[in-house]
Amino acid sequence: MDEWIDYYDSTHTIYASKLHRDLHFQIIARDIIGYIASPDAVVLDYACGEALSAAKVADACAKLYLAEPAPGVRGRLIARFAPNTKIRVRSLEDLTRMAENSVDLVVMNSVAQYMTPGELDSALGVIRRLLKPKGRLVLGDILRPEVGMARDVLALLKFAASHGFLKDALYGLASTALSDYRQLRTRVGLQRYSEDEMIEKLAAAGFTASRAHQNIGHNPWRMTFVARHAFQHS
């Protein structure tokens, strides 16, 4: 995961335009809010990235922890959300020192593909310790083995066409083809899981999980899973 952390900590061009970037975070915030069961909830966004719309998520809960591994991104988060008393920024290391059973909802969106299976297992162990007995983990944007990059491109173009940045998206795709992202994706690769594999992986980590009807974000070809402590059946 370290190479991906370094990439996202750099001046990258993963978004086709400012509109694309802003819409991306707005839609993710909207989808996360849909999983917040109560205004009293404590929410953790694990490896949150720039989290530009985090204030909207914070409005829907009591406290929002933004955990981010990239130090440069973390610094920007601290500066951006310093005035917001509901938001706390943490490193992933900080999470290991947080109180057990202290979080109602953990969201890990578009993160698992950058982790080795072992790194994901470790993260799930940390998350399981933090989750309250009736807490939920939402694991979003999971890449499927049978779905290649062409579907990602198609999903982006449909999203761009419906929101008015198709020209920028086409230019952005051409730039990405020549970018560090494409080289890194080719060299390091992205981790993919079938539905059964992810449910089994979550079960091995002590969770009961099922696939959500809809993925977080704009890409319908990827999967989201909702998991609870294995002993929590209600």
Side-chain angles (χ1 to χ4, degrees), residues 40-149:
D40 299 324
V42 176
V43 178
L44 166 63
D45 190 345
Y46 187 105
C48 60
E50 297 286 350
L52 296 180
S53 295
K56 290 181 183 175
V57 179
D59 285 344
C61 65
K63 184 172 284 188
L64 173 62
Y65 288 101
L66 299 177
E68 170 54 39
V73 177
R74 200 161 61 241
R76 290 194 291 277
L77 291 169
I78 291 167
R80 187 178 301 131
F81 297 116
N84 194 323
T85 56
K86 284 187 169 187
I87 296 176
R88 295 284 180 271
V89 179
R90 297 288 185 263
S91 68
L92 299 190
E93 179 63 29
D94 291 336
L95 300 183
T96 64
R97 294 186 287 273
M98 279 175 59
E100 198 173 338
N101 301 335
S102 60
V103 178
D104 296 286
L105 173 68
V106 177
V107 178
M108 183 195 280
N109 185 59
S110 206
V111 178
Q113 66 263 36
Y114 301 119
M115 294 176 147
T116 64
E119 286 170 339
L120 180 55
D121 289 338
S122 297
L124 292 174
V126 172
I127 289 166
R128 191 172 185 276
R129 190 186 72 82
L130 291 176
L131 271 181
K132 293 179 183 179
K134 291 189 176 182
R136 291 190 295 173
L137 162 64
V138 177
L139 196 60
D141 225 31
I142 301 298
L143 277 65
R144 294 152 59 187
E146 74 279 13
V147 178
M149 194 185 285

Side-chain angles (χ1 to χ4, degrees), residues 2 5 27 33 70 79 87 90 125 140 147 151 157 169 177 179 198-199 227:
D2 288 347
I5 292 169
I27 288 168
I33 289 165
I87 296 176
R90 297 288 185 263
V147 178
R151 298 282 185 164
L157 292 177
S179 71
M198 183 50 74
I199 288 172

